[in-house]
Amino acid sequence: KLSDGNSFKIDTGHGWGAGISFRPDRNLKLNEDSSADLFGAKQIKIKFKCDKSVKFRIGLNESGHAPAGAQVYQGVKNADGETYQSWGPISGNGQEQEYIFRLSEFSLNKYYGNQRGNHVINTDAIAELQISFPGSGMSGCFLLDSIHFE
């Protein structure tokens, strides 16, 4: 759970977009590389409020993630350095919202991470969660209340 007041001003400029990366909280069960052991998680629940102009999607990086085409992906436990992204993008409506992202609906990110891995989200070693704001010319406010793996 994040503390109140996690407000972000989003401005994607004229490039590919923008994003925010979150590393696991110290209060979680952590692995030796500081990835989180969230074994058994099936979904992510995110509570937020954002302007109607803001669109986003969720991404996950396993332990050992690196750019596509790397020679080695050294993750811990079962993680093999893959990255995944949710469906979307999701649009804000100006009101507080809660979305559930089922991990079974995530797809392999073909632009980053191990492309030769086991094609399974290894929840026993999650290195990062991202919120990405794809596209150019988007601006607005994004208030994040909480992120829960269940």
Side-chain angles (χ1 to χ4, degrees):
K1 172 120 168 89
L2 299 167
S3 62
D4 292 337
N6 293 290
S7 182
F8 302 92
K9 171 92 172 96
I10 307 303
D11 184 353
T12 61
H14 300 292
W16 61 268
I20 306 164
S21 292
F22 297 94
R23 294 203 172 103
D25 186 276
R26 287 178 243 166
N27 295 319
L28 295 171
K29 181 179 176 187
L30 298 180
N31 298 311
E32 61 268 20
D33 68 349
S34 296
S35 62
D37 184 344
L38 303 170
F39 183 75
K42 302 284 186 220
Q43 61 190 24
I44 301 167
K45 187 187 298 182
I46 179 170
K47 195 174 189 181
F48 66 95
K49 179 180 178 181
C50 66
D51 295 337
K52 292 179 181 181
S53 60
V54 175
K55 296 178 175 136
F56 72 95
R57 69 172 13 122
I58 301 293
L60 291 176
N61 290 347
E62 292 179 349
S63 171
H65 65 92
Q71 294 300 308
V72 178
Y73 297 91
Q74 301 219 326
V76 299
K77 296 194 173 180
N78 294 311
D80 53 359
E82 294 164 328
T83 66
Y84 291 88
Q85 58 189 11
S86 69
W87 43 269
I90 305 297
S91 296
N93 66 9
Q95 305 295 316
E96 187 172 278
Q97 297 174 265
E98 185 173 270
Y99 267 94
I100 294 177
F101 295 91
R102 289 177 182 76
L103 298 184
S104 63
E105 297 174 354
F106 277 54
S107 59
L108 188 67
N109 181 344
K110 61 184 177 180
Y111 302 106
Y112 185 80
N114 186 358
Q115 304 298 301
R116 304 175 310 272
N118 63 8
H119 298 263
V120 172
I121 299 176
N122 300 111
T123 57
D124 56 354
I126 299 295
E128 292 179 341
L129 178 138
Q130 301 94 31
I131 300 175
S132 61
F133 305 93
S136 63
M138 182 183 357
S139 64
C141 197
F142 185 86
L143 177 62
L144 183 60
D145 181 53
S146 63
I147 300 170
H148 292 275
F149 283 79
E150 302 176 332

